[in-house]
Amino acid sequence: MSDNNLLSRNSAPHSDVEDIKRRSDYLRGTLRESLEDRITGSISEDDNRLMKFHGSYMQDDRDVRNERQKSKLEPAYQFMVRVRAPGGVVTAKQWLMMDRIAKKYANGTIRLTTRQSFQLHGVLKWNMKSVIQEVHEELLTTLAACGDVNRNVMANPNPYQSELHEQVYEWAEKLSRHLEPQTRAYHEIWLDEEKVADSREGEEQEPIYGKVYLPRKFKIGIAVPPANEVDVFSQDLGLIAIEENGKLVGFNVAVGGGMGMTHGDPKTYPQLGRIVGFATPDQVVDVAEKTVTIQRDYGDRSVRKHARFKYTIDDRGLEWFKDELHRRLGWELQPARPFQFEHNGDRYGWVKGSNGKWHYTLFIQNGRVKDEDGYRLMTGLREIAQAHSGDFRLTPNQNLIIGNVSSQKKRKIEQLIEEYGLTDGAAYSALRRNSMACVALPTCGLAMAESERYLPTLLEKIETILEEAGLREEEIVIRMTGCPNGCARPALAELAFIGKAPGKYNMYLGGGFAGERLNKLYRENIGEAEILSELRPILNRYAQERRDGEHFGDFCIRAGYVKEVHSGLDFHA
Ligand code: SRM
Ligand code: SF4
């Protein structure tokens, strides 16, 4: 489809970002010039939009913003760099590279994200090129880690079903490669490739995306039942692996999930993906490509808040989508196959995979890898990476698996885990083991409240209530974000806090334990004291009245605290 046709479908005036993309010459803009400008640590706003496609955001340290303003200094500009790893799988050598560049160019910490990628914070403009080159040398990339394209493809790390995981991971990689932007801009700007004159336009130069790329970000995740760590229903395109006798036979296809919303704007809402059928493995790349092109052609290019695929589907209907998909494919999806999810959290400690290798899942509080007094996590992981011949897997819950450890190496890894006191979370409450918090302050420009820096403190206080109620070992999924964009997928948690203002949160209850149901607003704009006084009686009642095996989210609905929500259209109702 030509870009002109594409815009005629979106007859409303398109957003500024669409113009920036169109004028950018396939993501080049004036990024090269902006990076070379030594007068400021920042880049222009237009280039910042394009920078996202290259895997980075310009930020400023919000902790020192006011102080610098008073001293008439420009904000402390710095860049966040996101490194993609399909399915979260990296080699020990790649881990060591991330560790090295985090210390050399960033703030000395590594952030494991909720989509199984790495993030570095605090990189200065002058060091951006070196960072990206060093990432590239180890065969990883920042390209398309952000921006209006397909993002990091998630896949269930599932160590105990190692053979199935291998097969699923292969498809995550294939999808990731197939949907990568084709522009050479990344190679020219960061890797010093010569620009070769290219007269090809639109579909020829970017066969899937065209000149203006997608209306908005696009996300794919693959789950392997009974585990739903990737929160498959939060993805624009969710794939549910179906196996027979340990072999992958295909995927149920779910479309139109997403978490983001804006406080006070009921036209925005989190939504669950809906299953539209089943595809065999060799069909799945085609299904993904056609789904992406449907969103490319029909997604809203005028209002970015309304531009995600979930709104395209909700506005036009699921039947419309299925017809359009089948028309583009030239064949029809088969009926969906049965499956059952049991949880969306990680399983910690050692497990032996079906391939005979060992895997150890470590608890990493909110995904932040750093050295602290008394807990040298970053050094410990560096030592492990130096001794380890298997892989590392970033989990969708911000944790880390030391994967594919041979029986011979297991003792050595165990020794290092012990030496550095690295934890599998067993010493923590089950609530903390099932917790996630987004980055928020001080780096995230959109944060309204603390998240990563605050959740551990709040958890301590909730843990006291849990102890009293005898619920310390009760698995409850809790998530916090600093704003309603939903980066820690809070709308799927049994208990969630979404930032509203400094120290104030909206409190949500009733999400499904396996990520199959949205939660619902319970209390608005409350601070810590109210959070605790609201939560105490609910947890106490849960301890006394819960049925055998009843999860907290289910109980909150049965006990009448909130209504059950199976569609984003009812989220605000
Ligand atoms: Fe996110 C924007 C961090 C996963 C929904 N997200 C941001 C930015 C880049 C802020 C910005 O635009 O200026 C945050 C950078 C903070 C920082 O300082 O590092 C940010 N998002 C993150 C990460 C690092 C959170 C984490 O703690 O791990 C996650 C990186 C994922 C990755 O590796 O690719 C992250 N973001 C998510 C998820 C969860 C997921 O994808 O599974 C969501 C909800 C799912 C979804 O997309 O619907 C999510 N992020 C958003 C949104 C809302 C999008 C929307 O539909 O409205 C924004 C804001 C935007 O795009 O305008 C956003
Ligand atoms: Fe920032 Fe909001 Fe995402 Fe948290 S949820 S990282 S505050 S955009």
Side-chain angles (χ1 to χ4, degrees), residues 438-440 444 446-447 481-483 485-487:
C438 74
V439 180
C444 178
L446 307 177
T481 57
C483 85
N485 282 317
C487 297

Side-chain angles (χ1 to χ4, degrees), residues 57 59 80 82 111 113-115 117 119 121 216-217 219 258-260 308 398 437-439 443-444 446 485-487 489:
Y57 276 66
Q59 304 182 317
M80 173 274 269
R82 194 177 286 166
R111 186 58 156 64
T113 78
T114 56
R115 287 196 75 76
S117 310
Q119 272 191 195
H121 291 101
R216 207 67 166 82
K217 57 179 84 166
K219 299 181 171 179
M259 294 284 101
R308 289 297 293 271
Q398 307 171 316
C438 74
V439 180
T443 52
C444 178
L446 307 177
N485 282 317
C487 297
R489 299 186 290 275

